[in-house]
Amino acid sequence: MDPRALQIVSLTGGWRTGSDAEAQVLQILRDVPEGELDAVLSPLDLDQVVGDIDDHVWGPDHRTELLELVLGRRRSELSLQTVAELVAALHRGPTPRLHQETIVEVLTSYAGADFHDLKYRLNAQGDHHDLEHLVFDDVEEDLRKRLLAHVAAQAGVDATSDLRVLCDIDDTVTCAIHDDRYPRGTIYPGVVALLHALDDGAAEETPGG
């Protein structure tokens, strides 16, 4: 791990990260030379780092400074995976207006293949905090309209051929709730082959597939 990332790990993740430690983290990030920021951030648990750096009622707004630095001034240095992890961190738990505005500003700044890629990475975060949850549960109506308009615009000008087969799981892939024909948890015979066939068929139907 990058030694600067190790410094950040040592300053965060405890029972409580104090204001002085937060300020040290911010200074470490400010001092990272141009082009090296992703190497520092990518190994970190960004959900933890964002959660440990706060805006204080009687003190500095360190989280606001962090977001302005990494997702504002220096976002162009970050990989799409790092951006996706930072966006995911902002809408786990309560999503205040600052987080909502930052998320929408970030997402609407991408276009074309990068935007499609970022959407998929947000959907691959491993929990229910996916793109659908973000759009329809975590952002307020005015921001939702702006984000949906961008999604629609990108779908119109840069249609992707990367189609995906979506499928329910319970009593569709595995015997889970109402079906007593098989032991609970059994994968239905042939269903995996069927999904592969559907996936292959979707690829064949797309332009260039």
Side-chain angles (χ1 to χ4, degrees), residues 14-190:
W15 179 77
R16 184 177 181 276
T17 302
S19 181
D20 289 345
E22 295 171 4
Q24 290 180 63
V25 171
L26 286 168
Q27 193 59 53
I28 290 168
L29 294 174
R30 290 191 200 99
D31 290 342
V32 174
E34 183 177 356
E36 298 180 19
L37 187 59
D38 195 69
V40 175
L41 292 177
S42 60
L44 297 174
D45 181 344
L46 294 175
D47 187 40
Q48 177 176 289
V49 172
V50 171
D52 283 350
I53 297 178
D54 295 318
D55 283 349
H56 299 270
V57 176
W58 306 111
D61 290 337
H62 282 153
R63 184 175 296 174
T64 297
E65 292 181 40
L66 174 68
L67 299 183
E68 289 176 347
L69 175 65
V70 299
L71 287 175
R73 299 190 300 275
R74 300 186 65 176
R75 184 171 68 239
S76 62
E77 299 176 45
L78 304 182
S79 66
L80 289 174
Q81 181 60 34
T82 299
V83 172
E85 291 180 14
L86 284 166
V87 169
L90 292 182
H91 77 106
R92 286 194 175 96
T95 309
R97 182 74 184 194
L98 170 65
H99 289 193
Q100 297 178 39
E101 291 173 346
T102 301
I103 289 168
V104 173
E105 180 63 34
V106 168
L107 294 183
T108 55
S109 72
Y110 289 92
D114 283 348
F115 182 63
H116 294 310
D117 191 4
L118 183 55
K119 288 191 301 178
Y120 292 141
R121 291 177 187 275
L122 286 171
N123 275 335
Q125 290 299 308
D127 58 22
H128 72 283
H129 295 283
D130 56 10
L131 185 62
E132 179 182 8
H133 186 271
L134 166 63
V135 172
F136 294 104
D137 292 317
D138 286 339
V139 298
E140 296 170 16
E141 185 175 0
D142 61 319
L143 296 173
R144 181 181 306 121
K145 288 180 178 178
R146 180 182 169 195
L147 186 50
L148 288 174
H150 186 68
V151 171
Q154 290 306 305
V157 301
D158 186 39
T160 178
S161 62
D162 188 12
L163 299 182
R164 306 205 174 191
V165 176
L166 302 180
C167 180
D168 186 33
I169 300 297
D170 295 336
D171 290 345
T172 302
V173 174
T174 63
C175 183
I177 302 174
H178 304 294
D179 190 353
D180 59 5
R181 295 175 299 166
Y182 300 93
R184 180 164 295 185
T186 300
I187 298 175
Y188 288 121

